[in-house]
Amino acid sequence: MGHPFPIREIARQAGLSEATVDRVLNGRGGVRESTAQEVRRAIADLDRQRTQVRLVGRTFMVDIVVQAPERFSTAVRAALEAELPALHPAVVRSRFQFRETGPAAEQVRTLDRIARRGSQGVILKAPDVPEVTAAVGRLTAAGIPVVTLVTDLPASGRIGYVGSDNRAAGATAAYLMEQWLGDRPGNVLTSLSSGFFRNEEEREMGFRSVMRARQPQRTLVEIAEGQGLDATQYDLVRAALERDPEIRAVYSIGGGNNATLRAFADLGRACAVFIAHDLDHDNTRLLREHRLSAVLHHDLRQDMREACHLVMRAHGALPPAGPALPSAIQVVTPYNMPAQPAE
């Protein structure tokens, strides 16, 4: 396992002991395969960040903990690493803890492990459930500032939230839906990945509020708990379409859009309007192919930059500032796509 990094540096990146890293690197055995994978990931992360670690200044080790489909986690990683040079003269080193789904207890264990081993900050995308809120409290008690990303935990001890105004995003989706559907008949399918993510709940509330005010005659059909994953989303969408032959449009709050479109196609149904969130690699392709009507997007690089600044301020490395403003909501169509969309 060739690499140019000292064992101490790899151990810090991986959150493991130097002895464990030494056993993995020298093939001495007695180490689980999952631990060996953590060491390999740490080396890969260090290699990607090698150009940034040469920057002179204070170093912050920050943990990025995200529950989301791989396409979104990949975009988060890319956004942070693209922002690292702009954080000069400080150096931000990052450890990534990504998972697509699973019980809240797994994420709580991850957060508690970080609290025990130490960190300069945690950037967190997690469901808004009491056990996660309690784990954030334990991080705060350990002197580790937590910033929530994209979806908030307002009852926790987090120091700030970065992301868009999700209720306004849902209202924007309803406005676009009304304009494009006009007086044509048809029901609208709203799709959430989970009812436990506050950002999705707020988007759904904003959407329903505006639709109720402006198109009260139109029925909204909700599905949830597909986790934004194509494998689970397809069956939920297909079942909804079979139950309701009047569904003509989709507001995708939580993703799984490839599967949603496949379910429409497999039943020979047309989707007149399809509004989604985030220019991840799936939605970028679908928008270019004109299979989505619009994507509501916000600048993840701005979010990650602001999250790092909040961590630095918590440690007194930057002067105090007012509350972070929500990220601007961008309405992206096939005709105004960014030159370098998030990947």
Side-chain angles (χ1 to χ4, degrees), residues 26-183:
N26 291 287
R28 293 199 179 99
V31 179
R32 291 193 301 265
E33 175 57 26
S34 61
T35 302
Q37 289 176 0
E38 289 180 29
V39 172
R40 288 192 285 270
R41 281 196 297 268
I43 292 172
D45 288 341
L46 285 169
D47 191 57
R48 279 196 307 273
Q49 299 168 33
R50 184 160 37 178
T51 56
Q52 280 75 45
V53 300
R54 298 194 187 101
L55 297 174
V56 177
R58 188 168 173 180
T59 299
F60 296 86
M61 178 64 78
V62 177
D63 288 274
I64 320 300
V65 182
V66 171
Q67 179 177 325
E70 179 275 334
R71 60 183 180 271
F72 185 80
S73 298
T74 298
V76 168
R77 184 195 293 268
L80 175 61
E81 293 182 345
E83 282 300 306
L84 292 180
L87 298 172
H88 179 82
V91 177
V92 173
R93 299 278 295 281
S94 49
R95 292 184 293 225
F96 298 97
Q97 308 283 340
F98 294 158
R99 68 189 189 116
E100 289 197 310
T101 186
E106 291 182 10
Q107 199 153 45
V108 168
R109 282 194 289 272
T110 296
L111 297 176
D112 285 342
R113 188 164 59 248
I114 292 169
R116 289 192 299 270
R117 77 185 181 199
S119 177
Q120 274 73 57
V122 173
I123 300 173
L124 176 64
K125 180 184 182 296
D128 185 8
V129 295
E131 49 265 53
V132 172
T133 295
V136 171
R138 291 190 288 274
L139 285 165
T140 301
I144 301 172
V146 177
V147 179
T148 50
L149 171 69
V150 176
T151 184
D152 200 7
L153 302 170
S156 72
R158 54 87 169 131
I159 62 170
Y161 161 75
V162 294
S164 61
D165 180 333
N166 287 296
R167 187 153 187 160
T172 301
Y175 173 79
L176 295 173
M177 188 69 69
E178 178 204 4
Q179 295 297 308
W180 284 333
L181 279 182
D183 295 328

Side-chain angles (χ1 to χ4, degrees), residues 234-250:
Y234 177 85
D235 290 339
L236 290 170
V237 175
R238 181 165 182 141
L241 294 175
E242 289 173 341
R243 287 192 304 267
D244 188 340
E246 301 305 316
I247 293 174
R248 297 283 185 272
V250 173

Side-chain angles (χ1 to χ4, degrees), residues 281-296:
H281 51 75
D282 280 358
N283 286 345
T284 296
R285 176 180 55 79
L286 293 173
L287 196 58
R288 283 178 174 150
E289 294 172 356
H290 292 240
R291 299 175 69 194
L292 300 180
S293 307
V295 171
L296 301 181

